[in-house]
Amino acid sequence: MPETGHSHYWRLKKEEPFISRGSMPDRDIKTELRRILERREGRDRAITGMELARMLGQRDDRGIRQVIRELIAEGLPVASCGAGYFLATSYAEAREYADSLKGRLIEDALRRRDFRRAADCHLRLATQRRLI
């Protein structure tokens, strides 16, 4: 079958068949997810969480994200980018992903600080209004 403009879809379909198990046990999901990700080496082979969820018979990618965290904790260098998840294959890819996590931590800390200030100001005003 010749490849058309849907080469990404063809590659997925050819290499990674859809797994249609209704309620796959967690360990099987982890095993299958590891198997899929081990063939996704490098940023150019990234796959989205929704694609992974579909392949593993999941409704959304929430559980996939949790299993990916577990795989990372077990020593599998799963990174992510705008295109999805992949295995880091070089120190440059690993460093880039680690730096993006650091950037998110900083953004989250700033958002937390700003939220606390806003809540403090808003709630103080709301409390004062009730007292008057």
Side-chain angles (χ1 to χ4, degrees), residues 99-114:
D99 288 348
S100 78
L101 291 175
K102 182 179 178 182
R104 285 187 224 167
L105 285 171
I106 293 167
E107 288 175 23
D108 286 347
L110 293 173
R111 183 172 47 239
R112 181 174 183 255
R113 179 203 65 196
D114 293 344

Side-chain angles (χ1 to χ4, degrees), residues 18 31-32 35 38 70 88 90-91 97 102 114 120 125-126:
F18 176 75
T31 300
E32 289 298 319
R35 185 186 64 77
E38 284 174 344
E70 292 173 19
S90 68
Y91 283 110
Y97 179 60
K102 182 179 178 182
D114 293 344
D120 186 47
L125 289 173

Side-chain angles (χ1 to χ4, degrees), residues 1-130:
M1 178 178 207
E3 288 192 37
T4 62
H6 305 291
S7 62
H8 181 69
Y9 174 76
W10 171 245
R11 185 172 64 238
L12 270 176
K13 194 170 185 178
K14 182 177 167 186
E15 293 177 3
E16 297 152 349
F18 176 75
I19 299 164
S20 60
R21 297 181 194 160
S23 58
M24 185 185 295
D26 289 345
R27 73 174 189 286
D28 291 341
I29 289 176
K30 186 186 285 188
T31 300
E32 289 298 319
L33 187 55
R34 177 184 288 273
R35 185 186 64 77
I36 293 167
L37 289 170
E38 284 174 344
R39 291 193 281 170
R40 293 297 184 152
E41 293 185 334
R43 173 187 285 274
D44 60 326
R45 305 263 304 146
I47 182 170
T48 68
M50 284 307 295
E51 287 176 286
L52 290 167
R54 181 191 57 80
M55 292 169 64
L56 295 169
Q58 303 295 302
R59 279 180 290 204
D60 58 45
D61 64 344
R62 193 172 320 151
I64 299 299
R65 291 191 306 263
Q66 180 58 43
V67 175
I68 286 173
R69 286 186 197 103
E70 292 173 19
L71 290 171
I72 292 169
E74 293 172 7
L76 194 65
V78 182
S80 68
C81 62
Y85 297 100
F86 63 95
L87 284 188
T89 57
S90 68
Y91 283 110
E93 281 181 343
R95 191 173 324 115
E96 185 177 336
Y97 179 60
D99 288 348
S100 78
L101 291 175
K102 182 179 178 182
R104 285 187 224 167
L105 285 171
I106 293 167
E107 288 175 23
D108 286 347
L110 293 173
R111 183 172 47 239
R112 181 174 183 255
R113 179 203 65 196
D114 293 344
F115 174 78
R116 286 180 144 194
R117 285 180 182 167
D120 186 47
C121 180
H122 178 76
L123 296 173
R124 187 177 315 121
L125 289 173
T127 304
Q128 289 173 356
R129 282 188 212 136
R130 279 190 240 132

